[in-house]
Amino acid sequence: MDATVVAIAGDGDDSDRRRPLLAPTEEIHPYADSPSPQHPPLEAPAPPQAEQQRKPAQRLASLDVFRGFTVAMMILVDDAGGAWPGINHAPWFGVTVADFVMPAFLFIIGVSAALVFKKMPNKTGATKKAVVRVLKLFILGVILQGCTMDLPLVLCQVALINPFCGVFIRLGFILVMFFAHVGGYIHGRHDLTYGVDLDRIRWLGVLQRIAVGYFLAVMSEIWLVKNILVDSPVSFVKKYFMEWIMAIMITALYVALVYGLYVPNWEFKVQTSNSTLSFPGNSIEMKMIECGVRGSLGPPCNAVGLVDRVLLGENHLYKNPVYKRTKECSINSPDYGPLPPNAPDWCLAPFDPEGLLSTLMAAVTCFAGLHFGHVLIHCKNHSQRMLLWLLASTVLAISAFLVLLLGMPFSKPLYTVSYMLLTGGVSGFLLLLLYYIVDVIHIKKPFILFQWMGMNALIVYVLAACELFPTLIQGFYWRSPENNLVDVTESLLQAIFHSERWGTLVFVLLEIVFWCLAAGFLHMKGVYIKL
């Protein structure tokens, strides 16, 4: 994938135990309103009799299930996408199963932020906590994107000095450090096998995109939402009107830059091998891309790439972009493969799929999630919530195809407006379905694995999606590195099913079950890892 984020890391609770988000029939008001006979202040103590009759609040289980399902899909498309190109990301235009994963994360962030920040007696304090969480998430993303294969050691060292890590987590990382040393990951001071090349580090990535979306959504929730009582559709609109305006302004800015910026000709460096006997080694060759256009949405000449090249620099962009799987760039399209004859030079150019301009547009998905969270807060019964969610999801989906007809195709690398609307609508439909099954008719047992994973999605993301755990255990092998536990297990399954594709799929499904059970174990021990 490209999978978590407060929505990954947790729902913003700073206590050691996870607290309830929402009672099944409770109406929640984000702020305390002026005392009145009809609406007493939220801080007022409840009468003893009412306190006794109050039912214990329950977590919104469907949101945990949705979060866990998204993490599972992320693992599936990441690890099985190579064997099954049909579920892998679309090479440039269009959408596949994988292209709905990242927007689902952002959508969940918005829903969670609406619930967490429904009541803020101290806006300045809430802002400080949100900024700290964003910084931690962004820094973690940079570490995960910028380090090489011995990254577990870097994270272990970070965890050991992190005051937010508990004793259980510290002991776990100490064990990782021990086995890493015994397994031969550390080779001495003069044989450095891990680290960060600051000249080529990739500053942006999945967690950084989530951090930016979370920051914009939370800041709007804290500072743009009016402190008024919601007792009608009109008051609901008045309360959240400025948030909607902000989302529209972000969208308008994106469209203006994508279609208005002039993209000139540009150059990039390509490292070529020199196999001659007299001059062995590698050399750098400059390639020129002919553009000189406005409004192009193709891989070589779009404004999204221009902004990243100018502000971030070529060295800090992703070197293996998804458009290398297009027909122009791969004879195995839609999979990666050798360049076809007369392939254009831009097939070798860098492009960041989580770039600045596309991340700005991706943040609007968080605002869509905020709206669904607001409906959840203010509607008193299941029917009202589901009806309004159905309406909002339908409007988003229909709008996506209208924008498509106007000439803006679906594209995850560019995070086009049509793509944002479509994925936001699909996320809304999925939340509606899970809410009905899990929280309305209370069919929870079939989804318990996803619920566990959703409660500890951060650690699953770091260990599974960033391949830290497979990287660690792959360091142990029998006689030959090819005989490690990971590769041997996958090869055995491929032999059993007489198919590389089906064997890989079963291996990935077993991997997902393993992480669900690991998250369930942490849940039973009361351990929840969050930022």
Side-chain angles (χ1 to χ4, degrees), residues 55-118:
K55 295 181 179 180
Q58 300 177 3
R59 283 191 56 80
L60 188 64
S62 56
L63 193 60
D64 283 329
V65 172
F66 191 7
R67 187 184 295 113
F69 176 76
T70 306
V71 175
M73 289 301 302
M74 172 196 63
I75 298 174
L76 177 65
V77 300
D78 276 358
D79 295 352
W84 297 82
I87 66 171
N88 206 346
H89 294 285
W92 190 256
F93 294 128
V95 288
T96 65
V97 174
D99 296 316
F100 290 93
V101 176
M102 181 69 206
F105 278 120
L106 298 170
F107 183 87
I108 294 170
I109 292 167
V111 178
S112 298
L115 298 177
V116 170
F117 292 92
K118 61 184 177 287

Side-chain angles (χ1 to χ4, degrees), residues 211-336:
V212 172
Y214 170 72
F215 176 77
L216 292 177
V218 169
M219 289 302 103
S220 67
E221 191 74 3
I222 294 174
W223 297 104
L224 297 183
V225 174
K226 295 182 179 180
N227 187 10
I228 62 176
L229 175 67
V230 174
D231 54 7
S232 67
V234 174
S235 60
F236 181 88
V237 172
K238 288 181 179 179
K239 187 177 188 67
Y240 300 111
F241 179 73
M242 290 305 300
E243 278 192 339
W244 299 352
I245 292 297
M246 184 174 179
I248 293 173
M249 290 177 62
I250 292 175
T251 304
L253 175 63
Y254 172 88
V255 172
L257 292 176
V258 165
Y259 286 103
L261 282 180
Y262 175 78
V263 182
N265 300 339
W266 57 284
E267 292 182 324
F268 67 97
K269 301 175 184 177
V270 176
Q271 191 174 39
T272 58
S273 60
N274 189 336
S275 59
T276 63
L277 295 177
S278 57
F279 298 100
N282 296 326
S283 60
I284 301 298
E285 181 181 351
M286 299 300 297
K287 297 285 188 180
M288 172 67 73
I289 304 298
E290 301 287 341
C291 289
V293 296
R294 284 188 176 88
S296 173
L297 299 180
C301 299
N302 58 79
V304 174
L306 170 66
V307 171
D308 292 335
R309 292 191 297 273
V310 171
L311 298 182
L312 298 177
E314 174 191 333
N315 287 345
H316 302 289
L317 303 183
Y318 189 53
K319 299 302 188 292
N320 195 35
V322 69
Y323 58 63
K324 288 187 177 181
R325 294 169 40 230
T326 59
K327 293 180 179 179
E328 295 90 341
C329 301
S330 173
I331 61 175
N332 297 333
S333 180
D335 198 3
Y336 290 103

Side-chain angles (χ1 to χ4, degrees), residues 317-386:
L317 303 183
Y318 189 53
K319 299 302 188 292
N320 195 35
V322 69
Y323 58 63
K324 288 187 177 181
R325 294 169 40 230
T326 59
K327 293 180 179 179
E328 295 90 341
C329 301
S330 173
I331 61 175
N332 297 333
S333 180
D335 198 3
Y336 290 103
L339 291 172
N342 301 320
D345 289 339
W346 54 261
C347 291
L348 303 174
F351 178 86
D352 205 309
E354 282 83 36
L356 294 169
L357 195 54
S358 57
T359 293
L360 185 67
M361 190 64 219
V364 180
T365 305
C366 296
F367 284 83
L370 282 177
H371 174 72
F372 279 70
H374 296 152
V375 170
L376 186 64
I377 289 170
H378 295 290
C379 290
K380 295 183 179 181
N381 57 63
H382 298 312
S383 299
Q384 290 179 343
R385 293 168 182 167
M386 292 190 295

